[in-house]
């Protein structure tokens, strides 16, 4: 057992070992001791914050991160950690300020800059603001000549996908059905995986990719990974992560392939100037393409595969009772405006309740949510922790309406709810990251569940709640509408996806020929 007789270095090593093994309580205790042994250590203070954050004591972690940065402002990881803690505690505006300062002090910390871009969307920034920050990120890289463009006419298209999310992750719900259908659409798919910890989903995707088309690049630097991709002589390489955590945009900076595309895991603008197209749809990106954000619009954004147990549980009996709304999205998406709208819905339906899924069941976070509700409405808010997947699906049998978040909308949880026959009401934002659910609903013909303002969101939710009397037949209609929509048509989507990529290749090849670049 560690105590003050141990050297501070021994204590720190023990703390790191505990953290690496996922023993966060033990690691926290070690670093608390380290700060007593060496009060001037900003790194130890920061590590106390990390332990608290990992134990979902995010409010407490903020003070420790702030203290560490006061001691050592050039502690790069500290700015990133404080930004994350502020987001988790419902302060996205403050998180943006902190991350901006961190990027100013550490312009080479590209992961922090990506985090800032994502935080801007959560803070309600405009599309123009996010585009400007994206351009600032892209401006850090020197131009690289485009390699020869492969002419794909008359043969199967060779397409590579790069991601660290080939695992039990939201991306896999949409990527797996596409990967399964691509051979029938004339595409030979290669997967370049940098998954930290492989799981059952990783194995399934690897099997779908097939022998010789799955590459592990997690241990490779960007130069080496780009060489691996270059060696496969692809027609197109697709980034599936954008500016989300753990991205490998550095590979794309090196232009290993003549045509580079962004899709799926990131709903913001094209993350780099070397991206030739961002695949989206006409609902998510309803306006004209902005300079620096080249878009190609499909019928729908992505095909959603069936949750493994949905067929088994979707039609099971539901508990009768008062109208039940639910929020199942990540709590970092619970903006003040969203919580205010939820409170307004409960005020208009005095017998209704709201179920909110809150990882860790943090009492401080509960209190922050409750403060947005009146005493009467707050008593009808029920918090639930993370559940096993089957139980999460079964929870939908209690729910009459899912309330989508804004300004950043849900997507995976929206599709899960609709497959379970539960209506989803959304407030569509002006930017693509606020229109994911609207895209799915428009494909189902459910425009009445899409609101443009906070007031319309409240009205649509109240109306949907009052119409819940349809029972099992109403749920069957919702489920049938989803299964008949483009979002559930993986085979059709794969054909359109392949066609879009061929169109991008042809366009880039024509443009390259005009300016004298090589075309093969």
């Amino acid at each position: 057992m560690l105590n003050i007789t141990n050297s501070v270095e021994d204590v720190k090593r023990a703390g790191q070992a505990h953290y690496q093994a996922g023993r966060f309580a033990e690691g926290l205790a070690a670093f608390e001791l380290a700060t007593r042994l060496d009060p001037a250590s900003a790194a130890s203070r920061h590590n106390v914050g990390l332990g608290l954050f990992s134990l979902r004591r995010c409010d407490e972690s903020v003070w420790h991160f702030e203290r560490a940065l006061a001691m050592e402002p050039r502690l790069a990881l500290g700015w990133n950690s404080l930004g994350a803690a502020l987001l988790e505690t419902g302060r996205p505006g403050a998180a943006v300020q902190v991350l901006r300062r961190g990027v100013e002090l550490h312009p080479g910390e590209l992961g922090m800059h990506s985090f800032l871009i994502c935080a801007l969307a959560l803070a309600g920034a405009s599309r123009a603001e996010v585009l400007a920050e994206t351009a600032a990120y892209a401006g850090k890289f020197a131009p690289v000549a485009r390699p020869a463009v492969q002419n794909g006419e008359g043969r199967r298209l060779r397409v590579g996908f790069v991601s660290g999310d080939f695992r039990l992750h939201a991306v896999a719900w949409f990527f797996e059905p596409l990967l399964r259908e691509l051979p029938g659409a004339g595409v030979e798919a290669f997967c370049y995986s940098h998954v930290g910890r492989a799981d059952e989903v990783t194995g399934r995707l690897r099997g779908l990719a097939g022998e010789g088309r799955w590459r592990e690049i997690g241990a490779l630097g960007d130069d080496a990974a780009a060489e691996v991709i270059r060696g496969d002589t692809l027609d197109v390489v697709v980034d599936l992560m954008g500016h989300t955590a753990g991205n490998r945009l550095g590979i794309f900076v090196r232009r290993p392939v003549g045509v580079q595309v962004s899709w799926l895991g990131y709903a913001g603008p094209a993350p780099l100037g070397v991206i030739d197209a961002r695949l989206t749809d006409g609902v998510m990106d309803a306006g004209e393409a902005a300079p620096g954000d080249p878009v190609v619009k499909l019928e729908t954004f992505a095909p959603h595969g069936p949750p493994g147990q949905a067929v088994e549980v979707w039609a099971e009996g539901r508990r009768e009772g008062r109208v039940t709304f639910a929020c199942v999205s990540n709590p970092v998406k619970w903006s003040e405006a969203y919580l205010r709208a939820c409170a307004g819905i409960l005020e208009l339906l005095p017998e209704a309740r709201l179920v909110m899924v809150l990882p860790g069941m943090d009492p401080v976070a509960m209190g922050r949510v409750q403060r947005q509700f009146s005493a009467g409405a707050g008593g009808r808010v029920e918090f639930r922790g993370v559940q096993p997947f089957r139980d999460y699906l079964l929870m939908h049998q209690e729910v009459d309406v899912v309330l989508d978040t804004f300004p950043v909308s849900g997507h995976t949880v929206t599709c899960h709810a609709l497959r379970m026959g539960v209506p989803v009401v959304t407030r569509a934002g002006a930017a693509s990251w606020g229109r994911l659910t609207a895209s799915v609903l428009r494909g189902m013909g459910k425009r009445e569940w899409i609101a443009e303002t906070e007031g319309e969101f409240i009205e649509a939710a109240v109306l949907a709640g009052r119409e819940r009397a349809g029972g099992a037949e109403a749920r069957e209609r919702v489920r049938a509408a989803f299964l008949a929509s483009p979002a559930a048509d993986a085979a059709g989507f794969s054909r359109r996806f392949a066609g879009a990529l061929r169109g991008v290749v042809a366009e880039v090849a024509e443009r390259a020929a005009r300016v004298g670049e090589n075309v093969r």
Side-chain angles (χ1 to χ4, degrees), residues 319 353-357 378 380-384 398:
R319 179 174 60 80
R353 66 170 180 151
L354 172 64
V355 173
M356 305 190 81
V357 176
R380 291 179 278 129
V381 177
E382 177 185 332
F383 295 98
R384 297 192 187 179
E398 303 175 33

Side-chain angles (χ1 to χ4, degrees), residues 44-60:
S44 291
R45 179 63 63 187
H46 172 264
N47 279 321
V48 171
L50 286 181
L52 292 166
F53 185 86
S54 299
L55 292 168
R56 305 298 303 177
R57 293 161 61 183
C58 300
D59 285 81
E60 295 176 65

